[in-house]
Amino acid sequence: MWFAGAARRRPVAGRPAALRLGFDLKPGMRVGLYGGSFNPAHEGHAHVAETARRRLGLDRVIWLVSPQNPLKSGHETAPLPARMAGARKVARGRNMIVSDAETRFGSQYTIDTLRALKARFPGVQFVWIMGADSLASFHRWRGWTQIMAEVPVAVVSRPWISLKSRSSPAARRFAAARAPIQQAKLLPGTDPPRWVFLTGPLNFQSSTLLRERMRGGRN
């Protein structure tokens, strides 16, 4: 049975693919890391990424397309190349980078990916980006408290779930580390644990609804 808990440190040295990530980052850059299955990617994802980029003053947002989310069934997950292609269609602009870094690192969990990227790019000011729907279930992620200790976190409001997410176990556990929204642009470079909840206009697209529509079109 899979359960949330502390994550072991997993070395990625010796994996040739990990040497070719397809992007380069310089010390001092402010970079958002936006992970997910993107199954499929849609304008709601783009809204979260762009909101975080603009409100935090980020130089880049890297979409980390996961090989397989441990919390989701692989039965309905499209192949990685298809999800990568879909993400590239909606991740518009030179500041948006779609990456299969998790596959190249061989990391199954976000905590492993974060540690690998921080080791690979010292001096880069990383921020983890998630929608409010992810914050609601964040306590089920492997090493979730360790993630909060690794990098600052930006949570972007999403329809129907924002109130629930702000009273979630993770939000309550790290309530004292929450930054005022007025200090959002100070988040990159601050010492974790530190997180901010970004409110604003909502985008109502979701991967679940898109998959249901696609299934309906095949019937």
Side-chain angles (χ1 to χ4, degrees):
M1 179 179 177
W2 189 90
F3 61 93
R8 297 187 181 95
R9 291 186 176 272
R10 295 181 55 193
V12 296
R15 296 182 62 89
L19 301 177
R20 303 182 298 274
L21 296 180
F23 59 85
D24 188 32
L25 305 174
K26 305 298 184 185
M29 292 182 71
R30 300 155 63 97
V31 178
L33 301 174
Y34 184 29
S37 301
F38 303 111
N39 183 46
H42 52 74
E43 291 298 332
H45 292 130
H47 172 75
V48 169
E50 179 58 25
T51 297
R53 186 200 66 77
R54 179 172 47 83
R55 300 283 289 277
L56 303 180
L58 301 176
D59 299 303
R60 301 282 189 278
V61 174
I62 300 176
W63 297 45
L64 296 168
V65 185
S66 64
Q68 174 58 48
N69 187 330
L71 294 179
K72 296 182 180 180
S73 170
H75 178 68
E76 291 188 338
T77 302
L80 179 61
R83 291 183 285 120
M84 290 277 292
R88 289 192 179 102
K89 289 182 180 179
V90 298
R92 293 179 289 272
R94 65 180 183 85
N95 296 320
M96 299 289 172
I97 300 170
V98 176
S99 173
D100 60 352
E102 289 193 311
T103 298
R104 293 176 181 271
F105 283 138
S107 56
Q108 185 179 9
Y109 300 109
T110 295
I111 185 63
D112 299 321
T113 304
L114 286 176
R115 288 169 174 166
L117 287 170
K118 287 179 65 178
R120 178 72 177 272
F121 300 108
V124 172
Q125 299 175 8
F126 287 114
V127 175
W128 184 258
I129 299 168
M130 68 171 76
D133 46 343
S134 293
L135 179 63
S137 60
F138 188 48
H139 59 287
R140 298 176 59 203
W141 294 25
R142 176 65 61 89
W144 64 282
T145 58
Q146 293 167 294
I147 293 172
M148 294 293 288
E150 287 285 343
V151 293
V153 175
V155 181
V156 179
S157 58
R158 291 286 289 148
W160 305 299
I161 196 71
S162 291
L163 182 60
K164 180 181 178 181
S165 68
R166 281 181 282 187
S167 61
S168 66
R172 294 198 306 270
R173 171 75 175 269
F174 290 97
R178 182 177 172 182
I181 196 170
Q182 296 86 353
Q183 298 179 11
K185 285 199 174 179
L186 301 178
L187 190 68
T190 58
D191 293 331
R194 194 67 166 166
W195 66 286
V196 67
F197 194 99
L198 301 175
T199 58
L202 299 175
N203 185 294
F204 286 81
Q205 280 203 1
S206 77
S207 294
T208 301
L209 291 176
L210 288 176
R211 287 196 299 273
E212 290 176 354
R213 289 174 188 169
M214 288 189 291
R215 282 196 298 268
R218 290 194 296 265
N219 292 337

